[in-house]
Amino acid sequence: MENQNKPENSFESIYVHIPFCEIKCPYCDFNAYSDVDHLTENLINSIEKEIIYWGTLFENQKIKSIFFGGGTPSWIESKYIQNIINIIKENFNLKKDIEITLECNPLDLTKTKVDDYQHSGINRFSVGIQSLNDKTLKFIGRNHNRKGALNALENLNDKKAKNFSVDIMFGIPYQTVAEIKETVETLIKFNPTHFSSYSFTIEPNTPFHKFVKEKKIKELDEDTYIEIFNTIYSTLKKNNYTNYEISNWALEGYESIHNSNYWDNKNFLGVGPGAHSYLNEIRFSNIKSPKKYIQHISKIQNNSNSQINNFNEFIKTINFVYDHEIITKDIKQKEYIIFALRKNTGLSKSKFNNEFNENIEKFLPENLNNFIDYNLIKTNDDIIKLTDKGKLLSNELFREILYPSGK
Ligand code: SF4
């Protein structure tokens, strides 16, 4: 019998973390740095070494998506992205219709760079527009303005980059309904295939957190927040975008393959400093500091899958892995429910019962009917879905599933 603890050859998605940014935005708590450009060459070499390391362990893996995130992967020279794609190609089998996404800052999307990326195999761009309002962009400390954002979109259109997503942010202090409407309507004119709309959050240990504590800025009032949220929803809906996941909208056929993989609870490999992976029921993450990551990677030795008897024990021996967590059945079941509720297809009770051989009812909050009464969820015999209002208040429902108050 096969050893159950050996790594299963089943991940199809690779995330590459590029931690560089031109400036560090004051609201950002990502693993991103604006003062380590001198490490670029070394860091890219280390990421390539890490890819080879995993490639030796999981040879012949078929890959359906690669996602360059960060940080700002477009900040570094395009040749580095090309090099990483080449190394992935040499170490894994890329599916013919693979999706390769690059997160970009609008200021980096010159025509030359778009050209370079397209030649490297990038076939999906994710552009961090956030807003087209100069006052708002300045307030959140972004290094681009409206003109720079529109210029990037023009370049993508000129270069016939068909598949691109735009990030927008809502709920920013002082943001107005009129400005978000104008932003979304203007963006739609450039024909993005996808929108990601994220709620602005004040993260601990960021300059913005300090500003709020010191009462230097005031969070947006609830009524405006709700109106802004509804405006985004109605504008995108009217323009044929489907809200296939709480924060994500796509034209038909342009749902992100890479992100859908996360929401379907599937395995994925993350490479680079601070990158997370999920393999063999274990979630683990790499050392965050680019400098320490480089130092640790320089000492690794390649193993082959056949030498690993227990993946859980093996993970502990990898020197560039910072921490790991075993995803127990209980965690998996709860995450399954939450991910399913985040998607527009909803949560199928029968699918859950089949997948886990366990009745879903014990995982659902006792006060579920309250959520129905308040029009936050709708159900039929099998499917539970969030309503539009429920999406706005989803965190309360998810909290109730994770930490039930009545049980
Ligand atoms: S560009 Fe993105 S990753 Fe970089 S600091 Fe700003 S929000 Fe963070």
Side-chain angles (χ1 to χ4, degrees), residues 21 23-25 27-28 30 32 70-72 142:
C21 286
I23 52 157
K24 179 90 183 184
C25 304
Y27 60 87
C28 175
F30 295 150
T72 311
R142 297 293 301 202

Side-chain angles (χ1 to χ4, degrees), residues 4-128:
Q4 296 298 307
N5 288 319
K6 280 185 76 172
E8 292 163 12
N9 290 340
S10 60
F11 71 86
E12 294 181 302
S13 293
I14 298 179
Y15 171 80
V16 184
H17 191 80
I18 308 287
F20 305 105
C21 286
E22 185 183 5
I23 52 157
K24 179 90 183 184
C25 304
Y27 60 87
C28 175
D29 75 337
F30 295 150
N31 190 37
Y33 306 82
S34 60
D35 53 359
V36 291
D37 283 355
H38 59 284
L39 297 177
T40 308
E41 191 86 33
N42 274 340
L43 188 85
I44 300 302
N45 286 339
S46 302
I47 291 176
E48 290 176 7
K49 226 175 146 190
E50 190 191 345
I51 293 166
I52 295 168
Y53 177 83
W54 290 112
T56 315
L57 277 176
F58 294 97
E59 45 186 9
N60 299 324
Q61 200 70 228
K62 281 216 165 96
I63 303 300
K64 67 175 181 189
S65 72
I66 301 171
F67 193 102
F68 288 88
T72 311
S74 61
W75 172 242
I76 56 174
E77 283 180 58
S78 48
K79 67 173 184 189
Y80 293 121
I81 301 296
Q82 166 89 67
N83 292 349
I84 292 175
I85 293 176
N86 288 344
I87 294 286
I88 295 177
K89 271 187 193 158
E90 284 165 22
N91 286 275
F92 298 95
N93 287 332
L94 306 199
K95 287 191 174 172
K96 245 192 173 154
D97 53 353
I98 186 168
E99 173 192 272
I100 310 184
T101 305
L102 184 85
E103 278 188 344
C104 309
N105 180 300
L107 295 183
D108 300 329
L109 281 180
T110 60
K111 284 187 187 161
T112 313
K113 264 197 157 176
V114 175
D115 248 348
D116 291 348
Y117 294 140
Q118 287 176 319
H119 284 123
S120 314
I122 300 288
N123 53 21
R124 186 171 182 272
F125 296 86
S126 170
V127 195

